[in-house]
């Protein structure tokens, strides 16, 4: 197959990420957010908030990383951060094989390596990209009066424990998150402790 | 106001782009596409198709440009490419004033200048970003059997005339588009000439 045709098959397949819905709601509460628009939003966060990263980093790489970080969900679906993580890695690796495998081999390797870097969270760019991915849902939840937290029985303590990774990418955003969660708690946005 | 707070107000406001719907349909035909997920898709096109640009360019800049190119639609709405373009520039400039104006002044200037560059289409990056923006809807239309073309009475000739800008960014994508449109015409995807 022609190189451009291979690239366009990948591009067309990507459209399906617009139909993968997350647990979070749009800030106006009208519907759940999908993973494609969520990825766009994170890229804008990277452009806007990069100065708050703990370490010096290549912002362009963070942007590319968040743009592709959820592509595997086209096959593997969205795995809720507070839900069962069983088989997640296996399902997502199979998805990465198939999806990035649509590209010409040189690009398949590039995209795959960028995605693996995000997953391993062992570089400054990957730590910050993961921090943004954990940070944004807190804003969505706060601005929808904790709707998704309530629906899934997630307590303030659980949010703080599960999202500590924000601090690895940005102490500033982590401090801000802690304040937000305490405020959400004071405002009754969390379900009763079980 | 604190710098981070200003940045987060901007980030929150961006969420509204997810509720601005375009004339194009998702490739599975289930609903119209919104401008946030469309912007994400274009950024992935930039990452995948940059080698087909007419001129050497900074791909990172193309990515940032397509990520922000539609933000003004939050206030100005989506203007259909085959529709009335009256007051479009004025409405979008006012929107840019308000929306980028939410950011700290240094970032407001940066984002504004990137958006103006896209609009003026006078640099290699802006020409390629505009080409991608014109190219992708052809794929959506073709893969939904010309649904949006038919709904709005758009002929093959009109598509070819109105999207010549693709050639300024990429002769390769333009050739490919011309073939696609001819094929779509042969397959009866366009309405009868009026």
């Amino acid at each position: 197959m022609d190189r451009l045709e291979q690239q366009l098959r990948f591009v067309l397949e990507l459209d399906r990420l617009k139909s993968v819905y997350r647990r979070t709601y749009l800030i106006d509460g009208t519907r759940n957010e999908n993973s494609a628009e969520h990825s766009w939003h994170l890229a804008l966060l990277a452009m806007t908030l990069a100065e708050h990263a703990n370490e010096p980093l290549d912002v362009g790489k963070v942007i590319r990383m968040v743009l592709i970080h959820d592509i595997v969900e086209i096959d593997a679906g969205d795995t809720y951060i507070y839900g069962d993580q069983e088989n997640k890695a296996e399902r997502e690796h199979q998805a990465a094989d198939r999806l990035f495998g649509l590209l010409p081999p040189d690009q398949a390797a590039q995209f795959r390596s960028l995605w693996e870097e995000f997953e391993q969270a062992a570089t400054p760019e990957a730590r910050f990209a993961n921090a943004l991915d954990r940070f944004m849902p807190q804003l969505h939840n706060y601005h929808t009066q904790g709707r998704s937290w309530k629906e899934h029985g997630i307590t303030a303590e659980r949010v703080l424990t599960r999202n500590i990774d924000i601090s690895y990418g940005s102490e500033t955003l982590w401090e801000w998150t802690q304040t937000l969660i305490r405020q959400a708690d004071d405002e009754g946005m969390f379900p009763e402790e079980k």
Side-chain angles (χ1 to χ4, degrees), chain A residues 10-12 14 28-30 35 41-43 61 67 69-70 99-100 102 115-116 126 130 139 153 156 163 179 184:
Chain A
F10 175 70
V11 155
L12 284 170
L14 290 178
D28 67 7
T30 48
S35 291
H41 211 164
L42 291 192
K61 193 179 186 181
L67 286 172
H69 84 292
D70 271 346
L99 290 158
F100 299 135
L102 296 171
W115 175 71
E116 300 272 7
N130 274 280
L139 291 186
N163 292 288
T179 307

Side-chain angles (χ1 to χ4, degrees), chain A residues 2-193:
Chain A
D2 175 72
R3 186 168 167 93
L4 177 55
E5 267 179 57
Q6 280 186 292
Q7 292 166 330
L8 293 180
R9 268 186 56 190
F10 175 70
V11 155
L12 284 170
E13 190 72 8
L14 290 178
D15 207 61
R16 293 173 55 204
L17 195 60
K18 301 170 187 170
S19 301
V20 175
Y21 285 92
R22 297 160 48 78
R23 300 303 196 283
T24 43
Y25 289 91
L26 294 195
I27 285 162
D28 67 7
T30 48
R31 61 168 174 84
N32 286 82
E33 186 188 29
N34 72 59
S35 291
E37 61 197 3
H38 156 70
S39 301
W40 167 79
H41 211 164
L42 291 192
L44 262 298
L45 260 78
M47 286 174 70
T48 310
L49 303 176
E51 67 194 72
H52 304 294
N54 291 341
E55 303 158 275
L57 42 72
D58 173 353
V59 184
K61 193 179 186 181
V62 178
I63 293 172
R64 283 180 286 119
M65 215 174 252
V66 295
L67 286 172
I68 67 147
H69 84 292
D70 271 346
I71 288 177
V72 292
E73 295 184 358
I74 289 173
D75 285 358
D78 180 50
T79 305
Y80 189 39
I81 184 176
Y82 304 105
D84 184 0
Q85 308 290 307
E86 213 187 310
N87 301 327
K88 179 176 186 276
E90 195 188 319
R91 280 184 289 116
E92 293 192 344
H93 276 82
Q94 282 176 1
D97 288 344
R98 186 185 79 80
L99 290 158
F100 299 135
L102 296 171
L103 285 164
D106 59 316
Q107 288 189 314
Q110 260 174 33
F111 275 69
R112 175 72 183 232
S113 139
L114 196 60
W115 175 71
E116 300 272 7
E117 187 175 332
F118 173 83
E119 286 295 306
Q120 286 155 24
T123 59
E125 286 80 10
R127 275 191 288 271
F128 190 61
N130 274 280
L132 297 177
D133 193 31
R134 299 289 177 95
F135 174 69
M136 194 62 217
Q138 316 314 323
L139 291 186
H140 281 272
N141 281 320
Y142 181 82
H143 288 277
T144 51
Q145 289 73 50
R147 184 163 164 194
S148 183
W149 288 325
K150 282 179 187 148
E151 283 178 359
H152 300 281
I154 309 303
T155 61
E157 204 190 316
R158 190 122 178 253
V159 172
L160 291 172
T161 309
R162 194 71 177 88
N163 292 288
I164 181 80
D165 296 19
I166 298 174
S167 71
Y168 309 151
S170 169
E171 286 293 349
T172 306
L173 293 182
W174 180 234
E175 261 181 50
W176 201 92
T177 303
Q178 289 172 297
T179 307
L180 186 78
I181 299 303
R182 276 192 295 268
Q183 196 174 323
D185 203 11
D186 290 347
E187 294 173 18
M189 293 187 187
F190 289 100
E192 300 291 307
E193 298 269 349

